[in-house]
Amino acid sequence: MNLVRSKQRVADHGEVFTPPDLVEAMISLVHAEAERIDSRFLEPACGSGNFLVPVLLRKLGTVEARYGRSDFERRHHALLALMSIYGIELLPDNVAECRAILLEVFTTFLGDADMLWAEAASAVLSVNIVHGDALAMTTNTAPLRPITFAEWTYLGKGRFHRRDFRFDTMTQSSSFGEEDTLFADLGKHEIFTPTRDHGDLTVDEIAEGAA
């Protein structure tokens, strides 16, 4: 794997990719969380997904182990695993590549699933993998807007719930307990109110434009 695309990109953006063996070693330090289906991971400079892809693969391994005998649960929990992956990336080609690779991992895992699931996954990735500046906490497309992330939860019986939160607001929490993850403290602070509540959604509704 090439760790740089070009010297110019290194000079302009500091773009250097982490070696795969180092990625795996770092993820292994938090393997219990990486393997938990609904544990949320945010990579603020996600590049083409060299951290997010291995995390998703571990989550999907858990999905297979727990729900492999039920196609219905296997599909819905695989989508939940994808919903727990978040990234921010400054460069548009990396954003497109990251989304495409994560989508390929998801669709390959589902195998012969119809286009509905690929469309739902694409809608999720269009929200979760943001073209933006993590330091400025704004999108990188005109007009600049505050970065917003979707909190996805699985309600069971094929229904999901989505609420949107501003990234800059979430970072105002002074500290998180060791048991907490992205979105975990939202209910404990009045300032952490969603910018939008999309209500309960089916996979069809997500695919049709919940993003």
Side-chain angles (χ1 to χ4, degrees):
M1 174 184 177
N2 291 328
L3 301 184
V4 298
R5 292 182 188 266
S6 71
K7 292 181 179 180
Q8 191 62 50
R9 286 169 72 109
V10 174
D12 291 345
H13 307 290
E15 182 187 64
V16 179
F17 295 99
T18 308
D21 55 344
L22 182 55
V23 169
E24 290 293 342
M26 293 172 69
I27 295 173
S28 293
L29 294 174
V30 290
H31 66 90
E33 289 299 306
E35 293 164 10
R36 184 158 66 87
I37 297 169
D38 61 350
S39 180
R40 299 181 178 96
F41 277 75
L42 167 64
E43 171 54 61
C46 66
S48 57
N50 62 332
F51 273 95
L52 298 181
V53 169
V55 171
L56 178 59
L57 287 169
R58 292 187 184 216
K59 290 177 178 293
L60 293 176
T62 302
V63 171
E64 184 64 35
R66 292 184 181 177
Y67 303 104
R69 295 185 180 182
S70 169
D71 188 58
F72 180 88
E73 294 296 343
R74 182 176 182 270
R75 292 185 181 195
H76 283 85
H77 281 88
L79 187 58
L80 178 63
L82 185 68
M83 289 170 166
S84 73
I85 300 294
Y86 298 85
I88 304 170
E89 172 55 34
L90 191 65
L91 302 178
D93 56 342
N94 283 342
V95 173
E97 186 174 356
C98 183
R99 290 173 178 170
I101 294 173
L102 288 168
L103 178 62
E104 182 179 5
V105 170
F106 174 80
T107 55
T108 298
F109 177 77
L110 291 193
D112 60 356
D114 59 39
M115 284 299 296
L116 170 67
W117 290 88
E119 291 170 358
S122 293
V124 169
L125 289 169
S126 71
V127 174
N128 283 26
I129 307 301
V130 177
H131 181 204
D133 185 331
L135 294 178
M137 300 187 189
T138 60
T139 60
N140 208 36
T141 53
L144 301 183
R145 301 180 185 276
I147 290 174
T148 299
F149 283 120
E151 175 202 50
W152 304 92
T153 53
Y154 184 47
L155 305 176
K157 299 182 179 180
R159 301 195 70 83
F160 296 88
H161 189 192
R162 173 183 167 184
R163 299 188 301 167
D164 295 346
F165 293 89
R166 281 179 50 159
F167 182 46
D168 56 356
T169 301
M170 288 191 290
T171 61
Q172 291 178 30
S173 178
S174 60
S175 64
F176 290 87
E178 62 182 16
E179 78 282 1
D180 292 325
T181 55
L182 185 64
F183 297 106
D185 251 10
L186 296 181
K188 303 175 186 177
H189 302 275
E190 291 184 0
I191 63 171
F192 292 117
T193 55
T195 59
R196 182 179 177 186
D197 190 327
H198 297 256
D200 298 354
L201 301 166
T202 64
V203 173
D204 299 72
E205 290 168 333
I206 294 171
E208 287 171 2

